[in-house]
Amino acid sequence: MSLDGPFNMSAAYSPSGMAVPPWLNKGDNAWQMVSATLVGLQSVPGLVILYGSIVKKKWAVNSAFMALYAFAAVWLCWVTWGYNMSFGHRLLPFWGKARPALGQKFLLAQAVLPQTTQFFRDGATVETAWVNPFYPMATMVYFQCVFAAITLILLAGSLLGRMNIRAWMIFVPLWLTFSYTVGAFSLWGGGFLFHWGVMDYSGGYVIHLSSGVAGFTAAYWVGPRSTKDRERFPPNNVLLMLTGAGILWMGWAGFNGGDPYSANIDSSLAVLNTNICAATSLLVWTCLDVIFFKKPSVIGAVQGMITGLVCITPGAGLVQGWAAIVMGVLSGSIPWFTMMVVHKRSPLLQQVDDTLGVFHTHAVAGFLGGAATGLFAEPVLCSLFLPVSNSRGAFYRGRGGAQFGKQVAGALFVVAWNVAVTSVICLVVRTVVPLRMPDEELAIGDDAVHGEEAYALWGDGEKYDSTKHGWYSDNNDTHHNKAPSGVTQNV
């Protein structure tokens, strides 16, 4: 092979090399891939660990696996048809055309969201050019995929401890196709809410409001956990739960910091505001727990952290630091009130078994964040990110009052679509397999569903068969006539 021929390896690192086209900004590309990886880590291992630890021991494996399966299943659906339904050419005002995102010609071209050109009211004069980041489509597909995946995993939090795993395996691709892609295209990909000027910086509506509402709706159709599990459902490992929560918090730097599609000044502000709001919300939630329940709850602190992260998401790069603190106070108190007070007094909320309270931590907090963004979005910051010029929150007068109305209307569309579509999907799935596990599986948990358990706390994972007076392992079904070391065999 000639060193000066077309296969010269140095061409990959040369500014004029084939692997470094003139439009590529290496800094933006690096930050976008790092951001995508941070968001991916929020799911795997973040939410896998959190879910596996916050539930009863008998549901640890099943809960973690629901998250892991969703992450994998979304990937294949995303590159096969989901990406272009969310960010491709328009099919309907709220939906893109389905097509694969797998070919080299498509993935190595400069990234572009083709339906995002914003026109003035005359319909001919360009107000804001289409979104055209300085990195390849492959990076954009990667970044947007991990957002889609975490949405399904958040939704799963409402269904832990009783949903039939086979039903979940069917539900995931259907919900991604008919719900997530609609929200993503409508608000981010150039759909009607995008061009109307509804603000959703990084997914307060597309991800959190939709997952909270859909999770609550699916929980209604799936049905509740067993009575015993509903009455007592302690976490099996609080310290591991905090580890998952910590990964979730730190990963949010990619969640909100990556959404300007560039390593720019607005990205820096978004990351800072994210941490300000999350910290404030956690402290407010903890203080309320101490005031009313006399003890600071660790699970409560995690819930307060999550509501703060969710609340700031729709406005992370659009509000000032003082507004992030105000939003943190709101997100630490209002979802606390709906969860601790309203939930206990509402027959509907009591009827629906939302395992992790996703409705409160994501739907309520996501709507609250979107509405607060409609109040506090600062005009100069809006001009750094939004396609509709002169956008501003109601706090800054001008057209701000109308913006608040748009935020509420956009939320209502997301709520209505998710209630309707999630209900239809659940009804379709249950014609194929039951949505809820049979009672015998509900009584046993992981061992009945997966043949596996989270912790080998007895006999190093071996089990005692009283009929054969011996120990055996599920892995090879080989019986042993003596008990494991340190355990007295009772024959």
Side-chain angles (χ1 to χ4, degrees), residues 317-336:
L318 305 176
V319 303
Q320 299 186 66
W322 64 264
I325 294 176
V326 173
M327 292 171 73
V329 172
L330 294 174
S331 64
S333 56
I334 294 177
W336 182 93

Side-chain angles (χ1 to χ4, degrees), residues 2-28:
S2 172
L3 292 180
D4 57 358
F7 297 101
N8 184 353
M9 292 300 294
S10 66
Y13 307 100
S14 168
S16 59
M18 293 177 63
V20 189
W23 46 260
L24 179 68
N25 183 304
K26 291 184 178 180
D28 283 352

